[in-house]
Amino acid sequence: MTGIADLAPLERAQEQKAWYWYDWANSAFYTTVLSVMFAPYMIEVAGKAAGCPDDLDDAATCGNTVSVLGLDLAAGSLPFYLTSFATIFSAFLLPIVGAMVDRSAHKKRHMAGFAWAGAACGSLLFFMKDDQWQIGAVAIVLASVLAGCSVISYSAILVDISTEEERDRVSSRGWAFGYLGGGLLLAVNLGMFLGHDAIGLSSGMAVRLSLLSAVIWWATFTIIPFVRLKDRPPVERLEIRGNVFDRSFGQLWRTLKDLRNYPMTLTFLAAYLFFNDGIQTVIYAASTYGSKQLGFGDSVLIGTILLIQFVAFGGALLFGRFAQKHGSYKPILYGTYAWVVIVVLAFFLPEGNVPLFMAIAVAIGLVLGGTQALSRSFFSLLIPRGREGEYFALYNACERGTSWFGTFVFAIMFQLTDSYRPALLALIVFFVIGAFFLLRLDPERGIREAGNTVPSTV
């Protein structure tokens, strides 16, 4: 099995267009909910429960705690702890889901089923109000985990509908389409939040409606790839005795043991674990850092967030074109270097300096779209054919919106220092370690070891 998609070019093109729609669908959840609105609103709600002042800024920095499973956690750190917990839980669950996906002839059904279940859980965020942070905590963890489960099947489908030569282009267009869709809904939601008084809504209700709209968007647009993508039988069926969970854990154990035969794949996973944790934490904490540390008002933050979103659309396409000529490995490595520079510049940003803040936002958007899109397509070349579900499960355990150690370090640093500046600066170590592993990676060797065809550019 060469790994080349067994479809005619026209069929591949049609399914690739359908495939893009799931990026469009789920990006609304990651953008509106995880990246922008959930964390500040959770801080406000948890702050009320902790006895902090009603003012959102004071609630984020007052230092009062809430009790979570017997642990006293600062209200300002709670959303970051929740994200960390969701990802740790995903690290155990997603490989099991991936094993089942590999043996299934219904990848699109798994994708859509997990997406609709995640959207249903996410809809509970609408009921998070006053000091009732608990329902939001449960909803965000479940929705994040289920989103990760859906992305496993979605990523595995990429290998079925594109050749090795097409991966960078298809993955980049998917990410770009996602940024565009997520940005459009976010623009509407931020407009509703800014003008909530004019339309007779409280600020809290505007946020809750925005959170609800994101999961409705996610569920609705998932219908398109569910209808238009085709199911196909797995490449190889590996029979294991026992119930479905025994079979899943059994195949997972063989996959982990088998990674020793693919050292370059393992090296990239190590690199991705670190640099993606850094990326996800920067994006997840951006709105909180801008509002609580740098003192920017809603209008500046909204303009910056939308700027990043739409620049990332262009960044994904730009990096995709560059990869078609020069391969995907070098852009990923150079992008990691760029993230180090971005974090350092953000650390030294003076309070209230809008032009510099916007300049960094443009840099973030360009690098964000490119590194994430090419990481997905490059990793697909390092996976043995027929094992996409399990390998993408390991990959997606630290994918966008579910970084674990990065958000944990960020939360700990804030709790220790009561400042988001050292919390942000601490993230440099993730990019440095990621670059270290990337420099040890031989891309052509890794692709050959996985049994795939080496593209003309790597």
Side-chain angles (χ1 to χ4, degrees), residues 106-453:
H106 307 291
K107 290 187 179 72
K108 72 171 187 178
R109 296 186 189 179
H110 290 292
M111 178 193 72
F114 285 124
W116 290 327
C121 292
S123 66
L124 296 176
L125 292 170
F126 178 77
F127 301 100
M128 182 174 64
K129 59 181 180 178
D130 301 324
D131 61 353
Q132 300 168 11
W133 59 269
Q134 294 90 342
I135 190 170
V138 173
I140 201 66
V141 169
L142 292 177
S144 297
V145 170
L146 288 165
C149 291
S150 73
V151 171
I152 293 173
S153 294
Y154 175 66
S155 299
I157 292 170
L158 171 64
V159 179
D160 293 333
I161 63 173
S162 61
T163 66
E164 288 90 342
E165 296 285 349
E166 296 171 337
R167 299 277 170 80
D168 291 331
R169 173 181 58 81
V170 175
S171 182
S172 297
R173 289 185 179 180
W175 275 100
F177 204 45
Y179 281 119
L180 182 60
L184 289 174
L185 180 65
L186 181 62
V188 173
N189 285 332
L190 290 176
M192 177 172 63
F193 177 76
L194 281 180
H196 63 85
D197 287 332
I199 57 178
L201 297 175
S202 66
S203 61
M205 177 58 75
V207 172
R208 290 163 57 204
L209 287 174
S210 297
L211 298 174
L212 182 62
S213 73
V215 297
I216 292 175
W217 177 288
W218 180 16
T220 301
F221 284 105
T222 297
I223 296 173
I224 297 176
F226 176 71
V227 171
R228 294 183 180 177
L229 286 172
K230 296 178 181 178
D231 276 326
R232 48 186 54 85
V235 171
E236 182 179 4
R237 288 187 180 274
L238 298 176
E239 296 298 332
I240 310 172
R241 294 181 180 180
N243 60 40
V244 66
F245 292 103
D246 293 332
R247 295 196 302 270
S248 299
F249 276 115
Q251 189 168 338
L252 170 60
W253 175 244
R254 288 201 311 277
T255 299
L256 294 174
K257 290 178 63 178
D258 201 41
L259 270 175
R260 293 177 297 180
N261 298 322
Y262 307 104
M264 295 298 101
T265 306
L266 182 59
T267 300
F268 183 76
L269 275 174
Y272 186 77
L273 172 66
F274 285 99
F275 76 73
N276 186 69
D277 270 352
I279 292 173
Q280 296 307 320
T281 309
V282 169
I283 300 306
Y284 188 77
S287 60
T288 303
Y289 184 75
S291 62
K292 315 306 177 206
Q293 190 65 53
L294 301 181
F296 293 121
D298 289 339
S299 59
V300 173
L301 290 175
I302 288 171
T304 304
I305 290 166
L306 293 176
L307 178 64
I308 291 175
Q309 195 72 16
F310 292 113
V311 170
F313 165 76
L317 295 178
L318 181 64
F319 271 61
R321 290 197 173 190
F322 185 83
Q324 286 183 274
K325 295 182 179 180
H326 305 285
S328 53
Y329 168 72
K330 288 183 179 179
I332 296 171
L333 177 62
Y334 297 154
T336 305
Y337 297 155
W339 278 108
V340 173
V341 175
I342 288 170
V343 171
V344 171
L345 293 176
F347 173 79
F348 287 107
L349 264 179
E351 294 184 10
N353 193 314
V354 175
L356 286 179
F357 190 61
M358 291 290 186
I360 289 180
V362 171
I364 287 176
L366 286 173
V367 182
L368 173 66
T371 52
Q372 291 188 318
L374 295 185
S375 292
R376 178 171 64 185
S377 58
F378 180 68
F379 184 68
S380 73
L381 299 173
L382 303 175
I383 301 174
R385 191 73 170 99
R387 309 290 293 277
E388 292 85 10
E390 282 192 81
Y391 277 81
F392 268 117
L394 299 175
Y395 177 89
N396 284 305
C398 53
E399 180 55 278
R400 54 182 181 177
T402 53
S403 63
W404 63 279
F405 199 47
T407 52
F408 183 75
V409 168
F410 189 87
I412 287 290
M413 289 297 294
F414 170 77
Q415 187 153 351
L416 292 176
T417 64
D418 287 329
S419 173
Y420 288 109
R421 286 189 187 273
L424 183 69
L425 189 64
L427 301 180
I428 287 179
V429 67
F430 293 95
F431 299 114
V432 172
I433 296 175
F436 169 78
F437 282 110
L438 285 174
L439 289 169
R440 297 173 61 86
L441 192 151
D442 183 340
E444 291 190 19
R445 174 188 166 189
I447 295 170
R448 290 195 181 96
E449 287 176 344
N452 294 314
T453 302

Side-chain angles (χ1 to χ4, degrees), residues 40 43-44 47-48 52-62 292:
I43 290 172
E44 178 183 9
K48 291 180 180 178
C52 295
D54 290 337
D55 180 78
L56 178 60
D57 292 335
D58 290 337
T61 59
C62 74
K292 315 306 177 206

